[in-house]
PDB file of all heavy atoms in Angstrom:
ATOM      1  N   GLU A  95      15.389  21.032   3.875  1.00  0.00           N
ATOM      2  CA  GLU A  95      15.952  21.805   2.770  1.00  0.00           C
ATOM      3  C   GLU A  95      14.895  22.263   1.772  1.00  0.00           C
ATOM      4  O   GLU A  95      15.125  23.182   0.992  1.00  0.00           O
ATOM      5  CB  GLU A  95      17.036  20.988   2.063  1.00  0.00           C
ATOM      6  CG  GLU A  95      18.313  20.815   2.863  1.00  0.00           C
ATOM      7  CD  GLU A  95      18.236  19.759   3.975  1.00  0.00           C
ATOM      8  OE1 GLU A  95      17.179  19.106   4.147  1.00  0.00           O
ATOM      9  OE2 GLU A  95      19.227  19.595   4.709  1.00  0.00           O
ATOM     10  N   LEU A 131       9.203  24.779   6.979  1.00  0.00           N
ATOM     11  CA  LEU A 131      10.450  24.030   6.790  1.00  0.00           C
ATOM     12  C   LEU A 131      11.657  24.955   6.832  1.00  0.00           C
ATOM     13  O   LEU A 131      12.686  24.626   7.402  1.00  0.00           O
ATOM     14  CB  LEU A 131      10.409  23.255   5.474  1.00  0.00           C
ATOM     15  CG  LEU A 131       9.418  22.086   5.425  1.00  0.00           C
ATOM     16  CD1 LEU A 131       9.273  21.579   3.999  1.00  0.00           C
ATOM     17  CD2 LEU A 131       9.844  20.975   6.364  1.00  0.00           C
ATOM     18  N   ASN A 132      11.524  26.132   6.224  1.00  0.00           N
ATOM     19  CA  ASN A 132      12.627  27.086   6.203  1.00  0.00           C
ATOM     20  C   ASN A 132      12.954  27.576   7.608  1.00  0.00           C
ATOM     21  O   ASN A 132      14.127  27.709   7.973  1.00  0.00           O
ATOM     22  CB  ASN A 132      12.316  28.268   5.279  1.00  0.00           C
ATOM     23  CG  ASN A 132      13.497  29.196   5.172  1.00  0.00           C
ATOM     24  OD1 ASN A 132      13.610  30.152   5.930  1.00  0.00           O
ATOM     25  ND2 ASN A 132      14.375  28.906   4.243  1.00  0.00           N
ATOM     26  N   ALA A 133      11.935  27.839   8.408  1.00  0.00           N
ATOM     27  CA  ALA A 133      12.158  28.318   9.780  1.00  0.00           C
ATOM     28  C   ALA A 133      12.933  27.285  10.596  1.00  0.00           C
ATOM     29  O   ALA A 133      13.861  27.636  11.332  1.00  0.00           O
ATOM     30  CB  ALA A 133      10.827  28.632  10.449  1.00  0.00           C
ATOM     31  N   ILE A 134      12.570  26.018  10.450  1.00  0.00           N
ATOM     32  CA  ILE A 134      13.269  24.957  11.177  1.00  0.00           C
ATOM     33  C   ILE A 134      14.692  24.803  10.638  1.00  0.00           C
ATOM     34  O   ILE A 134      15.654  24.696  11.402  1.00  0.00           O
ATOM     35  CB  ILE A 134      12.514  23.605  11.064  1.00  0.00           C
ATOM     36  CG1 ILE A 134      11.066  23.737  11.510  1.00  0.00           C
ATOM     37  CG2 ILE A 134      13.250  22.508  11.809  1.00  0.00           C
ATOM     38  CD1 ILE A 134      10.837  23.890  12.968  1.00  0.00           C
ATOM     39  N   TYR A 135      14.812  24.814   9.315  1.00  0.00           N
ATOM     40  CA  TYR A 135      16.123  24.665   8.663  1.00  0.00           C
ATOM     41  C   TYR A 135      17.073  25.787   9.084  1.00  0.00           C
ATOM     42  O   TYR A 135      18.214  25.540   9.487  1.00  0.00           O
ATOM     43  CB  TYR A 135      15.943  24.649   7.146  1.00  0.00           C
ATOM     44  CG  TYR A 135      17.219  24.508   6.364  1.00  0.00           C
ATOM     45  CD1 TYR A 135      17.890  23.291   6.317  1.00  0.00           C
ATOM     46  CD2 TYR A 135      17.756  25.578   5.661  1.00  0.00           C
ATOM     47  CE1 TYR A 135      19.065  23.144   5.603  1.00  0.00           C
ATOM     48  CE2 TYR A 135      18.934  25.439   4.940  1.00  0.00           C
ATOM     49  CZ  TYR A 135      19.579  24.231   4.914  1.00  0.00           C
ATOM     50  OH  TYR A 135      20.745  24.096   4.211  1.00  0.00           O
ATOM     51  N   GLN A 136      16.603  27.021   9.006  1.00  0.00           N
ATOM     52  CA  GLN A 136      17.434  28.173   9.393  1.00  0.00           C
ATOM     53  C   GLN A 136      17.755  28.158  10.883  1.00  0.00           C
ATOM     54  O   GLN A 136      18.825  28.598  11.298  1.00  0.00           O
ATOM     55  CB  GLN A 136      16.727  29.489   9.024  1.00  0.00           C
ATOM     56  CG  GLN A 136      16.533  29.697   7.542  1.00  0.00           C
ATOM     57  CD  GLN A 136      17.831  29.760   6.763  1.00  0.00           C
ATOM     58  OE1 GLN A 136      18.847  30.245   7.251  1.00  0.00           O
ATOM     59  NE2 GLN A 136      17.803  29.233   5.554  1.00  0.00           N
ATOM     60  N   GLY A 137      16.839  27.637  11.669  1.00  0.00           N
ATOM     61  CA  GLY A 137      17.043  27.578  13.114  1.00  0.00           C
ATOM     62  C   GLY A 137      18.213  26.706  13.529  1.00  0.00           C
ATOM     63  O   GLY A 137      18.801  26.901  14.587  1.00  0.00           O
ATOM     64  N   ARG A 138      18.565  25.743  12.686  1.00  0.00           N
ATOM     65  CA  ARG A 138      19.724  24.908  13.000  1.00  0.00           C
ATOM     66  C   ARG A 138      20.997  25.738  13.054  1.00  0.00           C
ATOM     67  O   ARG A 138      21.894  25.440  13.833  1.00  0.00           O
ATOM     68  CB  ARG A 138      19.869  23.775  11.984  1.00  0.00           C
ATOM     69  CG  ARG A 138      18.713  22.801  12.023  1.00  0.00           C
ATOM     70  CD  ARG A 138      18.956  21.550  11.248  1.00  0.00           C
ATOM     71  NE  ARG A 138      19.320  21.799   9.857  1.00  0.00           N
ATOM     72  CZ  ARG A 138      19.422  20.858   8.928  1.00  0.00           C
ATOM     73  NH1 ARG A 138      19.186  19.613   9.239  1.00  0.00           N
ATOM     74  NH2 ARG A 138      19.751  21.157   7.698  1.00  0.00           N
TER      75      ARG A 138
END
Side-chain angles (χ1 to χ4, degrees):
E95 289 78 1
L131 291 169
N132 185 268
I134 306 287
Y135 180 73
Q136 295 299 326
R138 295 192 305 189

